[in-house]
Every structure is written in C-alpha cells, then in structure tokens.
Amino acid sequence: MDTASAQDSVVTAHVSLDEPMRRRLLDVLPSSPERLRRFVRSIQEAGVAIQGNAAITELRYTFSLDDNPSASQAFVTLLADLRAHEGVRLVDQSVSSSVVTAHVSIPTDSLWTVHRSLLGV
C-alpha cells in the first residue's frame, strides 16, 4: 500500500477486556493517574477508529463500561485533560453510565505526545 492511500484509510480496533487482560493493562500503567486506572478497571469493551493525514488525526473512541457512574465521570475528566493540549479539539461526545464515546481531532505531529501525557508515561 502506498503512503497516500494509507493516509486516507480508516484503521479500527476493538477489544473485549477480561479480568486477566485488565490486570495486565493496569500493570503496564503503574504510574498513571488514578482516574485513568479507575476508568480502565471499568472497561468491558473498547474500540477506536483512526483516520489521519499529515496534519490532523481523527480518533473515535467507544468504551462499554460496567454500570459505574464514577467510570463515566473519569472519562469526562480524561476528555478535559485531552482538550487542554494545544490544537486538540473535541468534535463530539456521548456519556452514559455504561457507554461513553468521543470523537477527537488531534494534530498528527503531537498525537503520541498527547496520549503519553494522558497515560502518565
């Protein structure tokens, strides 16, 4: 695949988190903020769709949570942290106690820096 067509593609991923996978993920993020760890503990399924080009990357996150209002509030706080970064734009969000979604636009050159800061790594 050439670079131009790859940049116009949408990449999607979906994962169900069982308890062993959730523990492994939390082990990888030992110094992450507690709000992120609380959110990860509540994730049942996660999905992301990514579409980007040299300037902007669009991400659509979807998380199915155990029915825990504090987890959805942690998600809202994480979105606020994300929006605090220069150039990051929250296009849309939906929050309930069991399903949360966000569509975020991030400058491609700062994509990894923004996510590392959210993860506390």
Side-chain angles (χ1 to χ4, degrees):
M1 176 184 308
D2 65 49
T3 306
S5 64
Q7 288 181 347
D8 292 332
S9 298
V10 175
V11 176
T12 60
H14 176 267
V15 64
S16 292
L17 269 73
D18 59 7
E19 194 55 38
M21 178 60 88
R22 191 174 297 106
R23 280 194 308 270
R24 288 190 64 179
L25 182 57
L26 290 168
D27 287 345
V28 171
L29 304 171
S31 62
S32 294
E34 180 53 36
R35 65 185 168 272
L36 176 62
R37 295 176 63 76
R38 181 176 56 240
F39 180 68
V40 168
R41 283 191 292 270
S42 70
I43 296 172
Q44 302 298 307
E45 295 181 59
V48 64
I50 304 168
Q51 183 171 19
N53 58 44
I56 296 292
T57 298
E58 301 277 331
L59 300 117
R60 296 177 193 273
Y61 303 100
T62 302
F63 298 96
S64 173
L65 309 173
D66 60 17
D67 200 11
N68 181 345
S70 70
S72 56
Q73 183 55 47
F75 181 73
V76 170
T77 302
L78 290 167
L79 286 178
D81 293 347
L82 188 64
R83 286 193 318 265
H85 291 273
E86 185 176 336
V88 175
R89 186 171 65 97
L90 179 62
V91 178
D92 188 27
Q93 77 179 38
S94 172
V95 178
S96 74
S97 61
S98 60
V99 177
V100 293
T101 65
H103 175 188
V104 180
S105 174
I106 299 177
T108 299
D109 62 354
S110 64
L111 179 67
W112 300 115
T113 303
V114 167
H115 282 80
R116 275 194 301 271
S117 72
L118 285 177
L119 297 174
V121 294

